[in-house]
Amino acid sequence: MMRMRPVKRAWLCALLAALFSSAMHGAESAPLVSLQTAADTIDAVYFWDPLSGMIVVSKNGHQVNFRPDDPLVLFDYSRFDLMDPPVRSSRGVFLTSSFVSELESFFAQPAPSVQYRVGAILIDPGHGGKDPGAVGKARVGGKTVEVKEKDVVLAVAKDLHARLRSQYPDKKILLTRDGDTYPTLEDRVEMANSIQLGAHEAILYVSIHVNAAFNTKSSGFEVWYLSPDYRRTVIDKAGNDEAAAILPILNSMMEEEFTTESILIAKSLLDSLDAQIGTQSKNRGIKEEAWFVVRNAKMPSVLVELGFVSNPEEAALLADPAYLRKCALGIYNGLSSFITHFENSRGFTTLQ
């Protein structure tokens, strides 16, 4: 499902107001509190993705989702309400005092008894077999060697797999390939979507690649996530006319939860990679796109680019087993950090 245009969203929000006999409370004239101040006041944590506009506030095992300039607010994905639309300005996002009071009241509830956890991690070393991926050359030990993407990413993936299996024996830690084979893109996505999970479990998808460019000076590592402009239909049934009217909004917000999680994973991986290899390779930041292998995986998904084999200096690093171990450690630390956050904050992807 494609991202809704602002006009369409405004129309649907107006329709919601009529359907549920709720009205906005005069946000323009009400006192405003910054999102940061509100979070500090109620001792909650928040994440705001300026690109998609999604804001997630969590505390005590509960979660609230909303967007600036939008009256629809989701509470634990089990109910919604129309409230004063948060206001976005050059100084940030601001909430009315009544909005903050509603958050404070909601978060005062006891933590839910259900515990969410990461049940599986699928590691996807790109390419393989007949497909070498990007190929570069480097000087190693006085000799020129060929550096193939499929070999680099498999080495990192297997190291990461071993670390995760050791740390999380209770989770499914899987590889799309553990040798020089070639699963198609469809095979990889099918594998991801077919993994069986327990109740209240989530799966993470991490695809590992290396880069190449015509400019041999291009260098650095980066982490990609799925563009919020690419939409999957998460909820596909509506039980009545009112549900059908609100469905596009709920679908969009719930689907964007995958994007929010993916961004959080991407940031965690990028920071951890920077701590391991940032002094040797350039941090190119977080990127977003809709075309890579994870585009049809129905789960939080990221793609890691470890460096450029087209850059002779970086190709030499990518041919160094010690450097690849640092790359694997960076990804491992990033995933561990995200898992801790996910499992300690009830989890995000919960379609109730």
Side-chain angles (χ1 to χ4, degrees):
M1 176 172 126
M2 294 305 295
R3 190 177 188 181
M4 287 185 293
R5 297 175 183 237
V7 173
K8 185 176 180 183
R9 171 175 281 280
W11 179 84
L12 285 167
C13 287
L15 177 60
L16 279 172
L19 286 171
F20 297 99
S21 301
S22 181
M24 294 186 295
H25 310 294
E28 293 182 358
S29 59
L32 296 177
V33 179
S34 73
L35 178 59
Q36 180 65 65
T37 298
D40 291 343
T41 299
I42 61 180
D43 193 26
V45 297
Y46 74 90
F47 172 78
W48 173 33
D49 172 31
L51 185 61
S52 68
M54 179 66 74
I55 297 171
V56 181
V57 182
S58 58
K59 178 185 176 181
N60 198 27
H62 296 287
Q63 187 181 107
V64 178
N65 294 44
F66 52 90
R67 287 194 187 94
D69 306 315
D70 192 332
L72 182 66
V73 182
L74 288 177
F75 295 88
D76 278 347
Y77 283 95
S78 60
R79 71 176 180 87
F80 61 89
D81 199 358
L82 295 177
M83 298 172 59
D84 300 334
V87 177
R88 180 175 181 176
S89 74
S90 59
R91 296 182 295 121
V93 175
F94 293 82
L95 312 175
T96 63
S97 56
S98 62
F99 195 115
V100 177
S101 295
E102 182 67 24
L103 292 180
E104 190 168 20
S105 176
F106 177 71
F107 288 131
Q109 300 178 83
S113 58
V114 174
Q115 295 298 313
Y116 293 84
R117 64 189 297 272
V118 173
I121 302 172
L122 182 59
I123 307 164
D124 174 39
H127 308 279
K130 64 182 181 181
D131 178 11
V135 179
K137 293 185 177 181
R139 295 287 293 177
V140 178
K143 297 181 179 180
T144 299
V145 299
E146 196 171 56
V147 184
K148 297 179 180 179
E149 178 177 6
K150 69 174 185 178
D151 299 329
V152 171
V153 299
L154 181 61
V156 172
K158 292 176 75 172
D159 187 339
L160 175 62
H161 179 261
R163 293 175 190 270
L164 289 171
R165 286 198 64 179
S166 176
Q167 178 64 28
Y168 302 107
D170 60 329
K171 303 183 189 301
K172 296 179 181 178
I173 312 298
L174 307 167
L175 288 162
T176 57
R177 66 182 181 95
D178 59 7
D180 191 18
T181 58
Y182 177 68
T184 66
L185 299 186
E186 292 76 12
D187 292 337
R188 297 170 202 257
V189 172
E190 175 61 26
M191 186 182 303
N193 290 334
S194 64
I195 293 173
Q196 297 298 308
L197 297 172
H200 312 301
E201 287 188 338
I203 177 175
L204 311 180
Y205 188 109
V206 181
S207 193
I208 304 175
H209 291 253
V210 298
N211 231 327
F214 289 114
N215 183 355
T216 58
K217 293 183 179 180
S218 295
S219 66
F221 58 94
E222 58 198 23
V223 183
W224 292 73
Y225 69 93
L226 192 68
S227 168
D229 287 328
Y230 185 90
R231 286 288 167 262
R232 297 169 296 245
T233 300
V234 178
I235 305 173
D236 56 8
K237 294 182 180 179
N240 53 56
D241 291 341
E242 292 185 356
I246 192 175
L247 185 63
I249 294 178
L250 294 178
N251 195 322
S252 176
M253 292 187 77
M254 288 185 177
E255 199 291 323
E256 281 182 0
E257 192 63 5
F258 285 117
T259 299
T260 301
E261 294 166 5
S262 297
I263 296 171
L264 287 172
I265 299 171
K267 185 178 187 308
S268 185
L269 294 185
L270 191 76
D271 290 346
S272 295
L273 281 168
D274 190 65
Q276 292 297 319
I277 61 175
T279 59
Q280 296 171 274
S281 182
K282 177 183 176 182
N283 184 336
R284 294 169 60 91
I286 298 174
K287 315 286 185 177
E288 56 92 11
E289 191 49 88
W291 47 258
F292 59 76
V293 62
V294 295
R295 66 186 180 275
N296 289 318
K298 300 173 183 177
M299 62 202 62
S301 310
V302 293
L303 183 148
V304 181
E305 294 277 8
L306 295 173
F308 285 76
V309 291
S310 51
N311 181 310
E313 289 77 18
E314 198 149 78
L317 289 174
L318 295 170
D320 180 359
Y323 184 79
L324 297 187
R325 286 193 292 272
K326 293 171 69 174
C327 291
L329 179 58
I331 299 174
Y332 165 79
N333 286 340
L335 285 173
S336 296
S337 176
F338 175 82
I339 290 169
T340 298
H341 173 76
F342 182 93
E343 295 184 342
N344 288 343
S345 62
R346 186 174 180 259
F348 297 115
T349 308
T350 59
L351 303 184
Q352 300 181 10

